Every structure is written in C-alpha cells, then in structure tokens.
Amino acid sequence: MKTLILLALVGLASAAVHQHKIQWRESKKMEMIRTGAYPAYLEYQRNLRAASPEVLASLPQNVNDFGDFEYLGNITIGTPDQSFIVVLDTGSSNLWVPGPSCSTNCKTKSKFDSSKSSTFVKNGKSWTIQYGSGDAAGILGEDTVRFGAKGEQQLSVPSTTFGIASKISADFKNDATDGILGLAFTSLAVDGVVPPLINAMNQGLLDQNLFTVWLEHRGALNNVGGGVFTYGAIDTTNCGPIVAYQPLSSATYYQFKAAGFKLGSYSNTKSVDVISDTGTSFLGGPQAVVDGLAKAAGATYDDWNEVYFIDCKAQPGTLDITIGSNTYSIQPVNYIVDAGNGQCLFAAFPFDFGGFGPSWILGDPFIRQYCNIYDIGQKRMGFAPSLQK
C-alpha cells in the first residue's frame, strides 16, 4: 500500500502547469485592407475557386483562412530543439511545419530537418490538409514537441506525431508563421493523428486536462505581447471568477449552444451551435443576423472589401451573446477594430457552413472579452471575464 501511495504521489508530482506566451501581429487580411490590396486578393480567391471547383466548391467552411490569423506562439521540435513560430488554433487539430523538401513558398520559413534530431522516428505516411484558401501536404513523422521557445520553461511532449510539409499554399508565403498547431479534438484531425496537447494529456503531463486562453486587447504594433495560453490549469492571474460552464454539443471543434445575439435594438433568439476559435480574428455568423447586428451598430457593408466599416468613435453599446442562462457582453473596444488610415471595422463577417456544422464562430473579439477555458477532460467550455481594463 505504501508503494502504491508513493507511486501516486510521484505521478502527481510529474504533472505540471505550463504557460505559453503568445504574440499578436496584424493579420494579412487587415494589412491588405489597410493598403487597399484586399479586393484584388478576393478576386484571386474567386478565380482560384473557379479554376478548381472539384476541390474548393465542396468546402463546408472557411474557419482556417491563412490570412485571418493574428496570434502566434513558439514551439520547438526534436533533439536538439529546432524552433518554429506557429498559429495556436483551437479550430483545427493537426500540427505541421515545413520540411527541407518544401521549396515553393517556403524560402523564408524555418524547416524541420529530421536528420538532425536524435529522437526522430520515421512514419512516412502522406497527408494533405485542404483549407478555405489553399492547402498543405507532406509526410508524417514522430518526435518530441515542446510548447514554448528554446531557453524558456517548456511543456515537453515525447512521441508526438506531426506533419512535415513538402508543399504549402501561396497564402503562407509572406506570412509570419511557419506552421499551425491545432488544439482541437482528435476526431477533427486529418488521418486521425493525436494532437500534441491531447498526447500530453494522455501521458499525464498536465495537472488538469484543460487549458485557458487569455488574449490581450489589440496592440498597436506587430510582435508585441498578445496573451497567454495556460495548459493544465485555469488562469487566475489574468481571468476573473468563472461565470459558468457550457457542455460541448460536439467534441470535434469546441462546439456548444448559444441562445441569442443582441446589439442595440436588434436581437435574434434562435438557438444555434457555435464554436470558440482562437484562429479567427472576427465573429462569424449567418448573413441575416450579422447584417442586423451591424446595422444596429451603425456599420455599413462594403462590397468591394467584403467587410463592415464603422465610425472609429462609435459607441453602439455592448454586443450581447446568451449562452446557457448567462449573457456575455462584448464591449465596443473588442468588436470595433482599427484598420488604419482612419478606418475601423465592425469585427463580424457573414459565413455559411453549408447546411451542417456550427452556425457561428466566436473568434477573438469574444475571447478578448472573456477568457475561454477549454475543458477537454469534461467536454465543456468555461467563461471568465478578462481582468484587462
């Protein structure tokens, strides 16, 4: 009995909490809107879809648009560490980074060289991930993945399967990131690959099978502090008391029910499935509802840029989202976004999942207002007010 107790204590001692600092940077989409290049990019995308209808026409959603990411983190892979900058994305489940054979669109990227890692295990299975604005492809490998930068405290996850890309979309060419680290469930992963964080939980490396996301309000400069992902614990430093938990309606994305959306004189009380997605910089929802919210805020839709412009000094009141029996209010500072050149955007966009899947994406405006607790073990979401004023 004493031996069993000792082993249990050793197991508890080996689990940990890890904080992963992230950086904010202007998304490519926002940069193109600011410089006036976005209409041409939209035309390019329309032409791409027309040229490859058999691939792109069937896509049910566009959550993982390369141009829409804003929050980046550091990881290392292999022994010794090879460093990468990745998108920390709760809307996908695969980790991948470029490999040595990736030449087109990879010239400025850090590349994983398996021959330089003593802990690498060859897999060789091919993979392809199709996104709304492009794709990535390559082979799978297995190695130690560490959350955090070299020289910092890291969460080390041995025997993690990840993608080594030989091809990435042109959308990634001038982007600040090397790859994507998906944080959603295994059921969403291409080829059923166990995501790195799920692998860490399966190995008992964390105190609790959950993580907390706190995002800072938008900064004025790129590569400035953007927030903290806390793995294995609830972040009580940056987040207030938990308002409530909401059970997941689907353990693929972090998908749950919302009961209504309201802004000013407009409200919609239809019960819908929504997802929490750190990889989407705006809120996304059905055209009619988003139009109603935008109109109530005083925003006008611009067909040329496919965005809603709004007066930068506007104070329309809170955008209220009902989840369970609680109302979560997003302040204008988090849903009115400065696009530069004296222009501001109402941070919402219309989208359609194609008749299945969630109706809404609760992206960064919601997560900046409320810390999101992704409770993987109990398959639920928790929400706590951000303590940033």
Side-chain angles (χ1 to χ4, degrees):
M1 179 63 71
K2 290 182 179 179
T3 302
L4 289 175
I5 292 173
L6 179 60
L7 288 173
L9 290 174
V10 170
L12 287 172
S14 66
V17 173
H18 176 72
Q19 289 201 317
H20 197 174
K21 294 181 179 180
I22 58 175
Q23 293 181 326
W24 177 85
R25 57 86 202 237
E26 182 181 47
S27 71
K28 190 171 74 171
K29 174 180 177 179
M30 293 298 293
E31 179 186 2
M32 288 188 290
I33 291 173
R34 177 170 50 80
T35 59
Y38 196 54
Y41 175 74
L42 291 172
E43 182 63 23
Y44 156 75
Q45 282 200 318
R46 285 190 287 268
N47 291 337
L48 184 65
R49 287 180 178 273
S52 306
E54 72 286 350
V55 175
L56 296 176
S58 62
L59 286 176
Q61 47 86 15
N62 195 20
V63 177
N64 298 316
D65 185 333
F66 291 148
D68 202 29
F69 294 134
E70 288 191 329
Y71 292 93
L72 307 177
N74 293 286
I75 65 168
T76 68
I77 304 175
T79 308
D81 304 58
Q82 299 179 42
S83 299
F84 303 92
I85 298 173
V86 294
V87 176
L88 301 173
D89 181 26
T90 59
S92 66
S93 297
N94 291 80
L95 165 64
W96 61 265
V97 295
S101 63
C102 187
S103 54
T104 304
N105 303 322
C106 289
K107 291 181 180 179
T108 62
K109 308 296 182 186
S110 297
K111 301 175 183 178
F112 177 74
D113 188 343
S114 61
S115 69
K116 295 182 179 179
S117 174
S118 63
T119 47
F120 179 78
V121 177
K122 185 177 180 180
N123 179 302
K125 183 178 180 180
S126 62
W127 58 273
T128 300
I129 300 178
Q130 183 69 53
Y131 295 93
S133 57
D135 66 322
I139 60 171
L140 295 175
E142 181 184 301
D143 211 327
T144 299
V145 173
R146 302 173 188 84
F147 292 68
K150 187 187 301 184
E152 297 179 350
Q153 181 184 4
Q154 294 177 306
L155 169 63
S156 181
V157 190
S159 304
T160 297
T161 301
F162 65 102
I164 305 167
S166 56
K167 171 191 173 185
I168 64 173
S169 166
D171 295 69
F172 248 124
K173 183 176 181 179
N174 298 315
D175 200 89
T177 184
D178 297 312
I180 294 178
L181 172 55
L183 295 168
F185 290 87
T186 305
S187 54
L188 192 64
V190 171
D191 295 325
V193 172
V194 178
L197 190 61
I198 302 292
N199 191 25
M201 293 175 180
N202 291 344
Q203 295 183 39
L205 300 179
L206 296 174
D207 282 356
Q208 300 178 68
N209 289 337
L210 56 79
F211 64 100
T212 306
V213 176
W214 170 70
L215 299 182
E216 291 187 33
H217 296 174
R218 280 267 311 262
L221 301 171
N222 286 341
N223 301 317
V224 297
V228 176
F229 281 51
T230 301
Y231 305 107
I234 295 169
D235 182 350
T236 56
T237 301
N238 299 301
C239 309
I242 294 174
V243 176
Y245 285 98
Q246 181 72 6
L248 296 181
S249 54
S250 174
T252 48
Y253 299 104
Y254 292 95
Q255 182 174 316
F256 51 95
K257 293 286 186 182
F261 293 79
K262 182 180 185 300
L263 198 159
S265 60
Y266 178 84
S267 67
N268 181 284
T269 56
K270 181 181 178 181
S271 177
V272 293
D273 279 299
V274 304
I275 64 172
S276 170
D277 183 17
T278 57
T280 301
S281 58
F282 284 8
L283 307 172
Q287 177 89 52
V289 183
V290 174
D291 282 346
L293 295 170
K295 183 177 179 180
T300 56
Y301 190 70
D302 182 86
D303 291 310
W304 191 239
N305 286 284
E306 297 186 1
V307 294
Y308 297 90
F309 284 108
I310 188 170
D311 188 328
C312 293
K313 297 180 181 179
Q315 289 294 326
T318 59
L319 196 168
D320 299 330
I321 304 173
T322 302
I323 302 170
S325 59
N326 296 283
T327 298
Y328 299 86
S329 298
I330 306 175
Q331 299 292 332
V333 68
N334 283 322
Y335 72 75
I336 295 178
V337 176
D338 188 349
N341 300 323
Q343 295 181 312
C344 286
L345 304 178
F346 178 67
F349 65 95
F351 93 110
D352 182 5
F353 249 94
F356 58 93
S359 298
W360 277 86
I361 304 168
L362 301 186
D364 298 340
F366 177 69
I367 304 171
R368 283 194 293 267
Q369 192 75 53
Y370 292 92
C371 297
N372 278 214
I373 297 98
Y374 301 82
D375 192 336
I376 295 172
Q378 299 193 55
K379 293 183 171 59
R380 62 182 184 173
M381 288 293 302
F383 309 103
S386 167
L387 294 180
Q388 183 178 3
K389 302 298 182 183

